[in-house]
Amino acid sequence: MKKVVIVDDEHEILETLTKFLGRSEKYEIDTYSNPTLALESVKRGNYDLVLLDIMMPQMDGINFLKEVKEVVPKTKVIMMTAFSTEDRLVDCNKFGADDYVTKPFMSLRDVENKVFDNLGL
């Protein structure tokens, strides 16, 4: 079974994504509101895919992405951002992000499709 982790400091986002994406029996979902704790777990190779917020108070999502891709480069990372500026997207691509979604989500089905695509489901 595939493993997905959602990392976001907004509890509403964690709840919404867990409820919607958790309907699938093709993967398990864990959540973290603290990116430092999440990074420790992700770096141990515990996850196939990370849904990662870019703007978090404890750690910037770009730095999180860099560390993940250095230690476990096969882990897929989908960046989530409310600010899809060109610079941010360039940084996401430069450091190995596999995909991105903008918040607020236009459609939870689109997020689910990106998860399925990146997991090869």
Side-chain angles (χ1 to χ4, degrees), residues 4 13 25 29-30 32 53 69 71 85 102-103 116 121:
V4 173
I13 298 286
E25 295 178 6
I29 297 175
D30 287 337
Y32 285 91
D53 187 24
K69 289 300 184 171
V71 178
T85 66
T102 55
K103 297 190 300 186
F116 278 28
L121 300 175

Side-chain angles (χ1 to χ4, degrees), residues 7-43:
V7 185
D8 198 308
D9 60 309
E10 295 180 53
H11 292 284
E12 284 181 32
I13 298 286
L14 293 176
E15 275 186 37
T16 300
L17 288 174
T18 301
K19 275 185 191 171
F20 192 81
L21 297 175
R23 299 171 308 132
S24 174
E25 295 178 6
K26 297 179 183 204
Y27 48 80
E28 295 175 20
I29 297 175
D30 287 337
T31 62
Y32 285 91
S33 58
N34 181 321
T36 307
L37 295 176
L39 183 60
E40 290 173 18
S41 186
V42 172
K43 285 168 68 174

Side-chain angles (χ1 to χ4, degrees), residues 83-94:
F83 307 101
S84 60
T85 66
E86 195 171 322
D87 288 346
R88 282 198 190 267
L89 298 179
V90 167
D91 282 345
C92 289
N93 289 330
K94 180 167 83 175

